[in-house]
Amino acid sequence: MRLIIEAQICIGCGLCEQICPHVFQLTDEMVAVVRQSTIAVHDVAAVDDAATACPVQAIRWE
Ligand code: SF4
């Protein structure tokens, strides 16, 4: 599965980066991006936490 951040929806709150900085990064444009193409197994739970915490549901697995 691929981790998706919908840039059009992201409001740049930075919550995902706080929860899982290995995976999420807030750009200078205040949009979250995925830092790595492969998500390590030990990061999956934190990614799911970030997806749940995202206030606009911009993070999802595809
Ligand atoms: S938690 Fe959601 S809205 Fe906030 S920066 Fe991350 S993707 Fe964007």
Side-chain angles (χ1 to χ4, degrees):
M1 288 203 297
R2 203 159 61 101
L3 183 59
I4 304 290
I5 299 175
E6 294 195 44
Q8 308 93 319
I9 299 176
C10 173
I11 58 171
C13 71
L15 207 50
C16 54
E17 186 184 58
Q18 287 175 35
I19 293 170
C20 192
H22 292 114
V23 173
F24 300 101
Q25 180 177 24
L26 207 55
T27 67
D28 291 342
E29 289 77 33
M30 301 303 284
V31 174
V33 294
V34 179
R35 298 171 66 109
Q36 47 196 240
S37 55
T38 303
I39 308 303
V41 171
H42 61 263
D43 283 330
V44 169
V47 167
D48 286 342
D49 286 348
T52 300
C54 176
V56 292
Q57 288 87 49
I59 302 167
R60 61 184 167 80
W61 295 100
E62 189 174 85

